[in-house]
Amino acid sequence: MMWSEERIKAYLMDNINEKRVKHILGVVEMSEKLAEFYGESPFKARMAAYIHDVAKYMPYDDIKRIIKEKGYKLTSEDLIMPELLHGLAGAIIGKDMMGIEDESILNAARYHTTGRVNMTMLEKIVFLADYIEPGRNFPGVEELREMAFLNLDKGVLLAFGGIATRVFGKQ
Ligand code: FE
Ligand code: FE
């Protein structure tokens, strides 16, 4: 049985620190808005957003164990940036514990950390909502919010650009 949204929210509030819960609920709100705007399912967008950071503060050893138990092979890239694995761990928790079976929802949670080629609209929505949820406050966030509702692909590319700058510095 898939958990209700109320049950998922209660789980988040019991298990995750308040600041992160606030972020997650901001991503839920923004994902829903984008889904409505672009004709994607608001329900799927909310569900993916609820679980996207559920493993964010899990100890790295637990994350690795969960992923290995499911038979996923960790690549050398995963080991360079283990921070990125919380998306996959969140998708696994969403499926195994919360009973979410829909692969499109699980993938939107899984790929919110890295993106991937040929992202679905739902994946783009959750990826971008993570950056522009109401609690985010960084130089350029307003432009990114505007772009998100003008051109989803451009918004995603702008967000990627921002990430690259933070990781590699200005080129
Ligand atoms: Fe995250
Ligand atoms: Fe997040």
Side-chain angles (χ1 to χ4, degrees), residues 78 84-85 109-117 119 127 160 163:
D78 291 332
L84 300 181
L85 289 174
R110 173 174 181 177
Y111 293 108
H112 89 271
T113 50
T114 54
R116 62 163 167 168
V117 288
M119 288 170 85
F127 176 86
F160 272 125
I163 297 163

Side-chain angles (χ1 to χ4, degrees), residues 24-57:
I24 291 173
L25 296 179
V27 179
V28 169
E29 182 188 327
M30 187 55 76
S31 295
E32 177 172 51
K33 272 190 195 151
L34 285 167
E36 277 165 0
F37 189 82
Y38 286 110
E40 191 29 279
S41 158
F43 173 74
K44 285 186 185 186
R46 288 199 305 277
M47 293 302 272
Y50 281 127
I51 63 170
H52 88 283
D53 272 351
V54 80
K56 175 93 178 179
Y57 292 117

Side-chain angles (χ1 to χ4, degrees), residues 130-149:
D130 195 21
Y131 284 89
I132 61 171
E133 57 99 353
R136 293 286 195 195
N137 177 23
F138 55 84
V141 71
E142 278 310 327
E143 289 87 332
L144 203 49
R145 285 192 183 111
E146 268 172 42
M147 186 53 79
F149 289 91

Side-chain angles (χ1 to χ4, degrees), residues 12-125:
L12 297 176
M13 287 190 276
D14 286 347
N15 290 281
I16 297 174
N17 79 62
E18 219 183 302
K19 206 176 144 221
R20 180 61 37 181
V21 172
K22 215 177 153 224
H23 162 70
I24 291 173
L25 296 179
V27 179
V28 169
E29 182 188 327
M30 187 55 76
S31 295
E32 177 172 51
K33 272 190 195 151
L34 285 167
E36 277 165 0
F37 189 82
Y38 286 110
E40 191 29 279
S41 158
F43 173 74
K44 285 186 185 186
R46 288 199 305 277
M47 293 302 272
Y50 281 127
I51 63 170
H52 88 283
D53 272 351
V54 80
K56 175 93 178 179
Y57 292 117
M58 219 173 243
Y60 179 46
D61 283 342
D62 291 353
I63 288 188
K64 272 197 302 197
R65 182 179 43 76
I66 288 172
I67 290 173
K68 280 189 186 153
E69 272 171 14
K70 289 290 137 191
Y72 290 101
K73 292 255 183 304
L74 296 175
T75 65
S76 53
E77 286 146 49
D78 291 332
L79 301 173
I80 295 168
M81 295 195 106
E83 212 281 315
L84 300 181
L85 289 174
H86 74 267
L88 176 54
I92 293 171
I93 292 167
K95 184 172 185 175
D96 290 357
M97 189 169 77
M98 299 172 174
I100 299 168
E101 299 278 349
D102 187 315
E103 289 293 328
S104 63
I105 296 173
L106 298 172
N107 281 336
R110 173 174 181 177
Y111 293 108
H112 89 271
T113 50
T114 54
R116 62 163 167 168
V117 288
N118 297 322
M119 288 170 85
T120 64
M121 181 175 286
L122 190 64
E123 288 165 15
K124 290 173 191 170
I125 283 172

Side-chain angles (χ1 to χ4, degrees), residues 163-171:
I163 297 163
T165 305
R166 281 203 290 285
V167 174
F168 302 111
K170 282 228 187 302
Q171 300 292 310

